Amino acid sequence: MTTHATSSAPPSDTAALRQPGPGLVPLGPARTALFHALDDLFTQLAAQVEAPAVVGPPLLPAEGLARLDYFRNFPHLGVSAGRFTEEGIDGLAAGSAPADVSLAATGYMLPSATCYGLLLSLEGQEVGAGQRLTSVGRCFRNETHYDGLRRLWGFHMREVIYLGTSQGAAEHLAASKEFITALAADLGVELSYEPANDPFYDKTGSRAKLMALDPVKYEFLAQDGTAIASVNRHRNFFGERLGITTEGATAHSSCTAFGVERWVHAMELTHGSAESALARLRDVRG
């Protein structure tokens, strides 16, 4: 059985991994070890709340995202999955540059958050007294600029989601906040905790007005202002839109998200290098 090593330093003859494009940052051996070790720690929250691990879908139907107000809220972030047309394929075979040939829309999008695929997969489901799930997925966002591990074209997001009662959703977030605060203290990462302004639903609607009075998303920020985790209360929005019920009533939901590469960044910012961060993490894990 393969385990994630956290104790060995990268070999001195490891070739440098270079960025193949903007926002495309490969992780070398030390950063990769730190990445996996951190995600292992995040799964302790899933174990604590008894959230089984699942693998979400690699693409999301644009029609489903539209029903969740995704394009009203985040039209600038979406990355569409295209397919070369027959004419484009002929052009490629003839030696044309990929950027010069035509693409056809497929009706699918690359995920921008892990929870969307899980929630869409639960459409029309009855979750009984409550359902928790965890998954880590590669997410993609069309940003205006990219900045190291702080802002990437593609990155990994570990989420732990809850669907059930309003009280259960609130308890899930309370447990998550306590877990993140304790984890950051153990790792020596200084965090601030602030409300965010990107709800899951139409910013012009009544829910957005309610959010101004009662924020539904809070972010945990590293010393340089990078948001590395968040807790999100959706109320009954996804339950209504997707017909998800809990013992016959519309389900409420909430989720906790960890940006894995951003935690690597925060650990390096705090401890000076991936190797030093791994040493601190080894102390935490005993």
Side-chain angles (χ1 to χ4, degrees):
M1 178 186 206
T2 300
T3 58
H4 299 139
T6 62
S7 59
S8 59
S12 58
D13 60 350
T14 299
L17 300 176
R18 300 180 190 239
Q19 235 176 272
L24 305 175
V25 180
L27 302 183
R31 278 182 161 182
T32 297
L34 182 57
F35 174 101
H36 286 303
L38 285 165
D39 190 46
D40 285 346
L41 290 178
F42 303 152
T43 61
Q44 291 180 7
L45 172 62
Q48 178 181 311
V49 300
E50 299 182 345
V54 297
V55 177
L59 295 172
L60 305 178
E63 179 276 331
L65 290 174
R67 286 188 283 119
L68 302 180
D69 289 343
Y70 177 82
F71 298 106
R72 288 177 180 270
N73 288 302
F74 314 114
H76 57 297
L77 294 182
V79 181
S80 177
R83 176 183 288 129
F84 289 115
T85 63
E86 289 188 16
E87 188 176 79
I89 292 171
D90 291 340
L92 291 172
S96 297
D100 296 333
V101 302
S102 57
L103 288 171
T106 62
Y108 288 85
M109 306 289 293
L110 277 66
S112 63
T114 300
C115 65
Y116 284 120
L118 303 185
L119 291 163
L120 286 168
S121 299
L122 289 167
E123 183 170 9
Q125 297 294 308
E126 162 63 46
V127 297
Q131 173 73 66
R132 292 177 173 85
L133 297 170
T134 187
S135 186
V136 62
R138 172 101 59 177
C139 300
F140 301 85
R141 293 182 184 177
N142 181 40
E143 303 278 12
T144 57
H145 70 283
Y146 300 99
D147 179 12
L149 296 182
R150 299 182 66 200
R151 193 178 293 271
L152 292 162
W153 182 270
F155 58 95
H156 292 81
M157 182 184 295
R158 162 70 63 184
E159 292 204 45
V160 185
I161 72 168
Y162 168 86
L163 295 105
T165 66
S166 175
Q167 180 179 344
E171 290 172 351
H172 177 74
L173 296 187
S176 297
K177 180 181 177 183
E178 182 178 346
F179 175 88
I180 294 170
T181 301
L183 176 62
D186 287 343
L187 295 174
V189 175
E190 183 180 333
L191 293 181
S192 58
Y193 180 67
E194 299 179 6
N197 60 1
D198 57 342
F200 284 85
Y201 37 75
D202 184 0
K203 294 181 176 69
T204 63
S206 60
R207 289 184 177 87
K209 294 176 183 176
L210 179 60
M211 180 185 165
L213 301 175
D214 179 19
V216 297
K217 176 174 182 175
Y218 283 85
E219 293 178 329
F220 294 84
L221 308 179
Q223 295 175 32
D224 63 352
T226 302
I228 65 174
S230 66
V231 289
N232 308 270
R233 179 162 54 96
H234 315 139
R235 299 194 175 94
N236 60 355
F237 175 75
F238 289 116
E240 284 183 345
R241 293 294 175 94
L242 296 174
I244 303 171
T245 57
T246 176
E247 298 182 331
T250 300
H252 286 240
S253 61
S254 58
C255 72
T256 307
F258 302 87
V260 189
E261 285 89 349
R262 288 189 173 191
W263 275 82
V264 172
H265 163 76
M267 288 289 283
E268 291 181 336
L269 183 68
T270 299
H271 300 292
S273 69
E275 291 81 1
S276 296
L278 279 167
R280 175 58 180 258
L281 195 144
R282 284 196 301 274
D283 292 340
V284 171
R285 298 180 71 175

